[in-house]
Amino acid sequence: MTKVLLVDDDAALREALTQTLELAGYQVISVGSFIVAKDYISMSFDGVVLSDIRMPGKDGFHLLEYARKQDPDLPVILLTGEGDVPMAVRGMSGGAFGFLEKPCDTETLKATIDRAGRARDMVLENRRMKQQLRQGDAAARMLFGHSDKADALRNKVRIAATAGTEVLVCGETGSGTAKVAEVIHLLARGARAPFEKRAAAGLSRETIRTAFTAAEGGTLFLDEIAGLSPDLQLWLLDHLEQDRTTCLIAGTYQDLSALVAEGRFHPDLVLRLDLMRVRIPSLKERPDDIPVLFRHYVAQAAEQANLSEPEITSEMTSRLMAQDWPGNARALMNEAMRFVMGVAENSPSADEGLNEQLARVEAALLREALQRHNGHASEAAKALKLPRKTFYDRLSRYDIRAEDYRRIESS
């Protein structure tokens, strides 16, 4: 529900407009002067300002100037009954979000307030994210979401980091086991030591020994532990009895108990790894976190692509929240990238020709491949079935740098 600070010295008109706005579903704070209104205007005000221009004493222009000093990003919509074009120009040049003539058409008024409200929500959300980056621990900075399940995940990660035991990170496909493992490492006592990631499938005794050596004193994350061969499962059991210097975190998208029942995974290794379990809730379980994550991914994608952030409408947010997202955070990240590049749904501009649209699609596919393969250009080229030289030529064409994607993981 968008909050509206309504400022108008005419009590009758103010009451009528308040009623109209409340019936439309807005939360209205109704005041009759700048003196009262200024007490509500601050960096933390989570709404928009709708003010008459002509008021005795300090008018709407003075209010606009005051609001801009308190918070340049606070949307102020100005109202006038004069139909005065120079007045409108003065208001817009002074930083007003909008300028409407009284009496306002209700639909036009609602549309303007809704746009202002979305802009305000995005500003405040970006500020919250930046505050998390400046303050708090790695769990607060890197694991986004406002839901109870997100809070519970951060708390469990903090506990796992201090436990000093092996950790099993579970979650559905695309939920971000590697990201959670990295956060656990950053919160642990060995945070300054190496954090090494390896895919369990395909490891040999030599390569797993090398991985433990590289992670000595820090953390080794084995992605999809279910892919570990039977002989290495036994080797790992023995090694964990001897190695007290390296923390092992195992990730899996599978049910290890079911694999044990099928004879495909060693039961003693499950018991050893499952001393501390961290389960990542799926997006389907926490739809309220989807807008937060999507805005974060959009900001991240826009920065990487050197593009401005497109507006995220309430209709789009509702559509995103209504989906199940079987690919979880990784699928949402890919959707954000497509959205920024203008290739999500029917988003290409009608002014673009076929070549421009195909270029957008090609660039988006290159970026998605780099995301999936953690910035490893050779693997991304192989996934797209492109010769390495062709792949690098196309990266150069769109000014895409593979190294920019080497630390992108699902959150």
Side-chain angles (χ1 to χ4, degrees), residues 168-172 175 177 250-254 277-281:
L168 181 64
V169 181
C170 307
E172 293 182 0
S175 58
T177 55
T252 186
Y253 301 122
Q254 301 190 50
R277 175 182 293 210
V278 176
R279 178 183 173 274
I280 307 171

Side-chain angles (χ1 to χ4, degrees), residues 28-345:
V28 183
I29 302 170
S30 177
V31 301
S33 69
F34 165 78
I35 298 300
V36 180
K38 70 180 181 63
D39 291 337
Y40 292 95
I41 296 173
S42 68
M43 291 281 288
S44 61
F45 181 67
D46 57 343
V48 304
V49 179
L50 179 64
S51 175
D52 190 19
I53 290 180
R54 292 191 178 275
M55 295 184 292
K58 295 182 177 179
D59 61 12
F61 288 125
H62 188 93
L63 183 147
L64 172 62
E65 182 181 0
Y66 178 83
R68 295 280 294 170
K69 287 180 180 177
Q70 300 304 307
D71 185 351
D73 296 318
L74 177 60
V76 177
I77 303 165
L78 295 176
L79 299 171
T80 182
E82 300 296 320
D84 191 335
V85 174
M87 187 177 287
V89 172
R90 179 183 169 191
M92 299 307 288
S93 63
F97 184 89
F99 186 91
L100 299 174
E101 186 176 356
K102 296 190 295 185
C104 299
D105 173 71
T106 302
E107 293 305 314
T108 301
L109 177 62
K110 286 169 55 181
T112 305
I113 292 174
D114 287 345
R115 283 193 299 109
R118 288 195 295 269
R120 186 60 174 167
D121 288 345
M122 185 171 291
V123 164
L124 294 178
E125 183 59 40
N126 286 339
R127 286 178 184 171
R128 280 192 289 268
M129 287 182 177
K130 288 178 181 177
Q131 184 71 7
Q132 285 181 333
L133 291 174
R134 287 192 296 266
Q135 299 178 352
D137 59 16
R141 295 195 311 269
M142 299 172 67
L143 301 177
F144 296 101
H146 299 323
S147 69
D148 291 342
K149 289 186 180 295
D151 285 338
L153 173 62
R154 285 187 285 266
N155 289 335
K156 191 61 181 285
V157 162
R158 293 179 181 113
I159 293 170
T162 60
T165 65
E166 288 76 39
V167 181
L168 181 64
V169 181
C170 307
E172 293 182 0
T173 300
S175 58
T177 55
K179 174 65 72 177
V180 168
E182 183 178 3
V183 173
I184 293 171
H185 167 73
L186 291 173
L187 292 172
R189 283 173 293 183
R192 294 182 180 274
F195 175 71
E196 296 290 328
K197 295 184 291 185
R198 299 289 188 277
L203 284 175
S204 63
R205 290 199 180 192
E206 180 181 351
T207 54
I208 197 170
R209 282 195 191 98
T210 301
F212 269 103
T213 300
E216 187 173 359
T219 304
L220 174 62
F221 172 65
L222 294 182
D223 194 13
E224 194 45 82
I225 193 69
L228 205 63
S229 64
D231 65 314
L232 281 186
Q233 292 175 29
L234 287 170
W235 182 93
L236 184 57
L237 263 174
D238 290 340
H239 184 82
L240 291 176
E241 292 294 333
Q242 303 165 27
D243 187 348
R244 299 297 180 184
T245 64
T246 304
C247 172
L248 176 69
I249 302 178
T252 186
Y253 301 122
Q254 301 190 50
D255 182 351
L256 295 185
S257 298
L259 296 181
V260 168
E262 296 169 9
R264 295 167 53 196
F265 204 85
H266 200 293
D268 291 343
L269 183 56
V270 171
L271 292 174
R272 180 66 187 250
L273 296 176
D274 210 8
L275 287 170
M276 176 60 64
R277 175 182 293 210
V278 176
R279 178 183 173 274
I280 307 171
S282 66
L283 290 187
K284 184 178 180 180
E285 297 175 70
R286 47 179 183 138
D288 289 348
D289 287 337
I290 290 175
V292 177
L293 289 166
F294 189 70
R295 282 194 289 270
H296 169 65
Y297 295 145
V298 165
Q300 188 180 60
E303 182 178 357
Q304 290 163 0
N306 196 26
L307 295 171
S308 58
E309 294 182 33
E311 179 186 4
I312 303 171
T313 65
S314 56
E315 292 78 10
M316 183 175 193
T317 299
S318 298
R319 180 178 63 80
L320 293 172
M321 293 176 68
Q323 297 183 47
D324 286 345
W325 296 104
N328 288 286
R330 186 168 296 281
L332 190 64
M333 181 187 293
N334 291 343
E335 179 70 9
M337 177 65 78
R338 287 190 288 267
F339 177 59
V340 169
M341 298 303 299
V343 295
E345 297 291 318

